[in-house]
Amino acid sequence: MPGLINQNGPQSQLNVKPMHPTFGAEVDGVDFANLTEDGFQEILKLMAKYGFLVFRSTGLDDTAHVNFSKRFGDLDDIRPYMTGGRKPRYDYFELFDAGNVDFDGKVLAVDSPRHHYGRGNGFFHIDSSFNPRRASYSLLRAAILPPPNTGGNTEFADSRSAFETLPKELKERLIKEDYVGVQSLHHSRKRGSPEYFADLKPEEYNMHRHRIAQVHEPSGRMNMYLGSHCHHIEGLSELESWQLIWTLMGWATRPENTVGVEWKNPGDLIICNRAVMHRAAGGSFEGKHVRDLRRTTVHDASSTAWGLNEKADTRPGFNSNGKESISLTD
């Protein structure tokens, strides 16, 4: 069956436990404080194979998290997004705030601007697909977690296997037409909280273009690069565009293509690549308990990293038409 993980390939020296028949694994035995280059190269190979990896109780703090992430490549940083006088909560510009905590360390109220902004993360997406240069890896770490059984899991979707298992005619159509998805951060934010962002018009902001059917170079497998930031598909009418987007997203996020991961301990780390979509699951913790997650994002260095965009630093910030300026927490 297409997409099934080959268990007969090179064997890892680490303890690798697959989490799904086609992607995802939990890995034990990594000493992050003393990780050799051979050990790091093994992680890269596992990432190409599984798409996302889960490491428990890593012991990483902010400094170690950033330094480890730099081994994957150049890191994105939050400075272009710090509009409206906002200040970062951390000492490192490379750390993105993916939690529900305000600058004073209090839980965000469910009616706060940042909470409304964060609701867009509840849709399956790929980090930074709205940027001209996409990301290759995201490294998400738990600093403080809510009580058990209050929600806050992260769910993943296997977009490589989704492409491979598409109906034959649809797969051939994607390859023949070579569709371009036009991506917008403002679009996904408005989808997440349409009433709060009623006056927001994504069409008034820069969007960036990436092919939908493309090769994931580290694995050599075809991938469907889509997600909730996709505003429309070039060359199609609005109706045709949305019909195709919803068809592809529906296929990619079927139960057989998805798996949820529970955050168990502070220091848990999940790394995912651009061939995997993910979303933040809600829960009863919202508005009540701290869920402090911190993310680094690695700039893609592959031959198609910039998609069909100009090679310029035009990463979009977010200012919701006069509402509070909000830093990226995608």
Side-chain angles (χ1 to χ4, degrees):
M1 178 180 176
L4 289 178
I5 293 172
N6 179 11
Q7 300 295 345
N8 296 319
Q11 295 299 304
S12 171
Q13 299 300 310
L14 302 172
N15 182 9
V16 181
K17 179 182 178 182
M19 305 185 74
H20 184 276
T22 69
F23 76 135
E26 187 168 316
V27 180
D28 294 325
V30 177
D31 181 0
F32 285 92
N34 300 287
L35 183 62
T36 65
E37 181 58 25
D38 286 344
F40 178 70
Q41 290 299 321
E42 186 166 6
I43 289 175
L44 286 181
K45 292 177 182 178
L46 292 173
M47 284 298 309
K49 179 177 180 179
Y50 289 98
F52 79 90
L53 301 176
V54 181
F55 305 86
R56 300 294 185 186
S57 300
T58 62
L60 294 173
D61 58 12
D62 287 353
T63 300
H65 182 175
V66 170
N67 288 339
F68 173 62
S69 302
K70 288 179 178 178
R71 299 181 74 165
F72 289 85
D74 295 334
L75 301 185
D76 198 354
D77 69 83
I78 63 176
R79 280 173 287 196
Y81 317 126
M82 301 306 291
T83 58
R86 284 189 59 85
K87 297 179 180 180
R89 288 205 302 122
Y90 316 123
D91 292 333
Y92 294 92
F93 287 118
E94 294 89 349
L95 283 176
F96 287 69
D97 184 353
N100 66 344
V101 184
D102 66 17
F103 191 76
D104 296 320
K106 298 178 181 178
V107 177
L108 292 175
V110 295
D111 60 351
S112 67
R114 276 193 56 210
H115 180 84
H116 282 285
Y117 174 94
R119 289 176 65 177
N121 296 332
F123 300 118
F124 278 107
H125 63 279
I126 302 171
D127 288 334
S128 298
S129 67
F130 49 80
N131 281 332
R133 182 185 184 183
R134 65 183 175 217
S136 55
Y137 301 97
S138 291
L139 295 89
L140 187 63
R141 181 183 112 252
I144 303 174
L145 292 172
N149 304 314
T150 58
N153 294 352
T154 300
E155 299 176 353
F156 296 88
D158 184 356
S159 51
R160 289 181 298 189
S161 290
F163 180 88
E164 292 166 356
T165 60
L166 281 170
K168 182 174 183 291
E169 291 184 0
L170 183 53
K171 186 191 299 185
E172 291 177 348
R173 177 187 171 191
L174 290 185
I175 295 173
K176 178 183 177 181
E177 299 297 335
D178 196 19
Y179 289 118
V180 174
V182 184
Q183 308 260 351
S184 165
L185 171 63
H186 295 81
H187 170 63
S188 61
R189 300 310 96 172
K190 184 163 185 171
R191 277 193 61 203
S193 197
E195 292 183 0
Y196 183 81
F197 294 125
D199 297 330
L200 177 64
K201 298 178 181 179
E203 297 80 9
E204 296 180 350
Y205 298 87
N206 289 334
M207 300 185 187
H208 295 102
R209 305 160 63 232
H210 295 278
R211 286 187 168 88
I212 292 175
Q214 55 179 259
V215 175
H216 175 245
E217 293 185 1
S219 63
R221 295 171 62 189
M222 285 296 294
N223 176 49
M224 191 158 60
Y225 193 75
L226 205 55
S228 65
H229 300 310
C230 189
H231 179 268
H232 67 275
I233 297 174
E234 281 188 352
L236 300 180
S237 69
E238 183 176 358
L239 177 60
E240 291 172 327
S241 177
W242 271 107
Q243 284 177 334
L244 184 54
I245 289 172
W246 282 108
T247 296
L248 296 176
M249 287 296 295
W251 186 268
T253 60
R254 295 177 303 158
E256 52 263 55
N257 286 331
T258 59
V259 64
V261 176
E262 178 184 2
W263 295 93
K264 296 181 178 180
N265 316 290
D268 284 358
L269 176 73
I270 300 178
I271 309 174
C272 63
N273 64 27
R274 63 176 175 84
V276 173
M277 292 187 288
H278 65 279
R279 69 177 178 184
S284 60
F285 74 91
E286 294 181 279
K288 300 176 183 177
H289 303 288
V290 170
R291 180 180 181 268
D292 186 349
L293 300 185
R294 306 175 185 188
R295 193 193 84 224
T296 52
T297 307
V298 184
H299 286 307
D300 190 3
S302 71
S303 65
T304 56
W306 291 87
L308 302 178
N309 307 297
E310 181 183 355
K311 293 184 178 181
D313 188 3
T314 55
R315 290 169 286 171
F318 188 89
N319 189 316
S320 52
N321 275 354
K323 299 183 187 294
E324 177 181 336
S325 296
I326 300 169
S327 62
L328 288 182
T329 57
D330 176 51

